[in-house]
Amino acid sequence: MLKFVILASPILLVMGLAAYSICTLRKKKRQKIRTLIKESGNKGERKVQATLKGLEKHDKRYKIFHNIKLGPDIERTNEFDTVVVAPNGIFHIETKNYGGERGGLLDIDEKNNWLLHKRNGYSKVINNPISQVNSHEYRLNGFLYRKVGVRNLPTQGILVLSCDRLRFRYNHNSRIDIPILHRREIIKYIKQYNNGRRAIDPQLVSKISEQIQLMNKSV
């Protein structure tokens, strides 16, 4: 028995080292994929930020905030890519860099399945982001009520596709409750929302903006 253990030990050691190496490589691969996804998302957000910069620069009535947290209190917040406080409404924007730089086709079927077809022929199912936008809507309204003391302001979630080469189509039987826009369509949509009619006075725009800044000093 002892002789068998002695003979088997090198084999077990090699097998153990091989298993450890495989696990380490898989872990590094997963980390690399997560890093690439995060970098792609950050790149998409920067594109949207650059697009919106002109809106705030040419019209001081619009207040724009990027990468902020909002909620009824600091223990219950969501992270928002972009929030625009405007005279005609408050817009929370979720940016998706589907397709990266090469683009492709985003297909939404009648069952609300989201399918991304890349230019290299690879297709995959992606998570439906509508629930994420709806969660942001809930947290935003909680923030407005608890921190600003107002209700029933016009708020609108927007899903923005930052890749200019990404096309999208959806089945007419599918239910899409929020607008899906390319980044170059955002400014026009915001300005024309509610026919451009003022729904929030300048003092309230300033108060909302101050409370956003205060909350993000605390979180």
Side-chain angles (χ1 to χ4, degrees):
M1 184 66 180
L2 180 61
K3 183 177 181 181
F4 173 78
V5 172
I6 294 172
L7 290 172
S9 294
I11 298 175
L12 293 173
L13 179 61
V14 171
M15 290 176 63
L17 289 173
Y20 176 79
S21 298
I22 291 172
C23 290
T24 302
L25 288 173
R26 286 178 177 174
K27 184 177 180 180
K28 287 182 178 179
K29 185 177 180 180
R30 289 195 295 268
Q31 290 175 339
K32 184 177 180 180
I33 291 173
R34 286 195 292 267
T35 300
L36 290 173
I37 291 174
K38 185 176 181 179
E39 289 175 353
S40 177
N42 290 340
K43 187 177 290 186
E45 290 176 23
R46 288 194 294 270
K47 286 183 180 180
V48 172
Q49 292 171 14
T51 300
L52 287 169
K53 188 176 291 185
L55 178 64
E56 190 174 33
K57 181 179 179 180
H58 296 104
D59 195 329
K60 299 302 182 183
R61 297 178 302 164
Y62 295 89
K63 306 300 179 183
I64 302 175
F65 304 89
H66 301 291
N67 300 318
I68 59 171
K69 292 183 179 181
L70 293 179
D73 51 60
I74 59 174
E75 286 78 26
R76 295 176 292 170
T77 62
N78 282 11
E79 188 168 342
F80 292 71
D81 291 340
T82 303
V83 172
V84 180
V85 184
N88 58 328
I90 302 172
F91 308 89
H92 53 100
I93 297 171
E94 179 64 27
T95 300
K96 297 298 183 184
N97 195 27
Y98 298 138
E101 295 300 312
R102 296 182 179 181
L105 173 65
L106 176 62
D107 206 356
I108 307 172
D109 66 19
E110 70 278 1
K111 296 181 180 179
N112 286 320
N113 295 313
W114 288 51
L115 306 171
L116 177 62
H117 308 287
K118 295 187 176 182
R119 289 184 177 273
N120 61 6
Y122 174 74
S123 298
K124 67 175 182 178
V125 178
I126 57 179
N127 292 330
N128 187 332
I130 301 300
S131 59
Q132 184 181 10
V133 178
N134 289 338
S135 175
H136 289 350
E137 177 80 10
Y138 177 76
R139 291 298 191 201
L140 173 60
N141 280 285
F143 163 79
L144 292 171
Y145 176 57
R146 295 289 183 182
K147 294 298 183 180
V148 187
V150 293
R151 285 182 171 178
N152 302 320
L153 289 181
T155 57
Q156 179 63 57
I158 306 172
L159 182 66
V160 173
L161 307 175
S162 61
C163 178
D164 297 329
R165 296 182 178 182
L166 180 72
R167 297 182 297 113
F168 76 92
R169 66 186 180 189
Y170 59 91
N171 188 288
H172 292 295
N173 294 323
S174 60
R175 182 177 177 180
I176 302 177
D177 298 325
I178 64 167
I180 303 174
L181 307 175
H182 281 98
R183 66 184 180 94
R184 300 186 188 280
E185 301 173 309
I186 310 172
I187 293 179
K188 181 179 179 181
Y189 177 87
I190 290 174
K191 286 186 172 182
Q192 293 182 351
Y193 182 79
N194 197 29
N195 294 318
R197 292 195 298 268
R198 192 175 81 177
I200 308 174
D201 62 57
Q203 291 78 15
L204 186 53
V205 169
S206 296
K207 184 177 181 181
I208 294 169
S209 300
E210 289 171 3
Q211 289 300 319
I212 290 175
Q213 293 171 337
L214 284 173
M215 172 157 278
N216 283 273
K217 287 181 179 179
S218 304
V219 296

